[in-house]
Amino acid sequence: MENLLTKYSETDLQEFKTIILDKLQTAQGELGTLTQSLSSTNVNGTDDTSGTYKTLEDGSATMEKEQTNQLAARQQKFIEQLQAALVRIENKTYGICRETGKLIPKERLRAVPHTTMCMEAKLKQ
């Protein structure tokens, strides 16, 4: 009879927790930088340049701010997914595919530690 694991060991969960905490710290740092750049005023010091280029600069500044906003939102979502993964580790449900109920391979979890689906289920999506 084949011995199928139904959940990861404490040692494995600790390894994944370390990976997630590391990614979480990096992600929070990046979000802080994005948030700071959004809240800072004109750092290029173009306020005193002639009005000729003002319209172009305003458009490009607006576009840049919009892109930064999107990056910040994506980063916030990533942080929430990592935090949810930490909760799954605490609940001992981490690494179990929510579609198939099978263990997600360690390689996939190391690459995408916040995933809740094995590749088989992800590809069917």
Side-chain angles (χ1 to χ4, degrees):
M1 216 166 96
E2 200 179 325
N3 182 13
L4 288 176
L5 286 173
T6 53
K7 60 183 182 180
Y8 282 109
S9 70
E10 268 312 306
T11 310
D12 290 332
L13 291 177
Q14 277 309 119
E15 177 195 343
F16 294 128
K17 186 175 184 176
T18 303
I19 292 170
I20 292 168
L21 288 172
D22 188 47
K23 284 191 182 283
L24 191 58
Q25 187 176 12
T26 303
Q28 287 170 330
E30 288 171 6
L31 180 62
T33 304
L34 289 168
T35 306
Q36 192 175 5
S37 77
L38 279 171
S39 62
S40 67
T41 53
N42 192 354
V43 290
N44 297 327
T46 54
D47 290 335
D48 58 353
T49 58
S50 68
T52 317
Y53 304 106
K54 198 73 176 147
T55 317
L56 281 174
E57 281 180 15
D58 286 348
S60 117
T62 301
M63 197 170 107
E64 196 173 311
K65 208 166 196 121
E66 184 58 39
Q67 286 176 327
T68 305
N69 254 327
Q70 287 175 347
L71 284 172
R74 193 176 302 146
Q75 200 65 8
Q76 182 60 48
K77 185 179 177 192
F78 180 53
I79 288 168
E80 288 166 9
Q81 289 172 331
L82 289 170
Q83 289 169 334
L86 288 174
V87 169
R88 289 193 304 278
I89 286 176
E90 293 306 312
N91 295 340
K92 310 280 188 266
T93 59
Y94 181 80
I96 300 167
C97 177
R98 65 184 163 95
E99 291 294 317
T100 66
K102 297 176 187 169
L103 273 188
I104 300 168
K106 288 182 183 182
E107 303 75 47
R108 175 154 169 73
L109 290 170
R110 286 185 186 114
V112 189
H114 58 285
T115 190
T116 59
M117 296 168 89
C118 63
M119 280 309 295
E120 176 189 338
K122 185 76 177 161
L123 292 172
K124 283 182 186 172
Q125 226 181 11

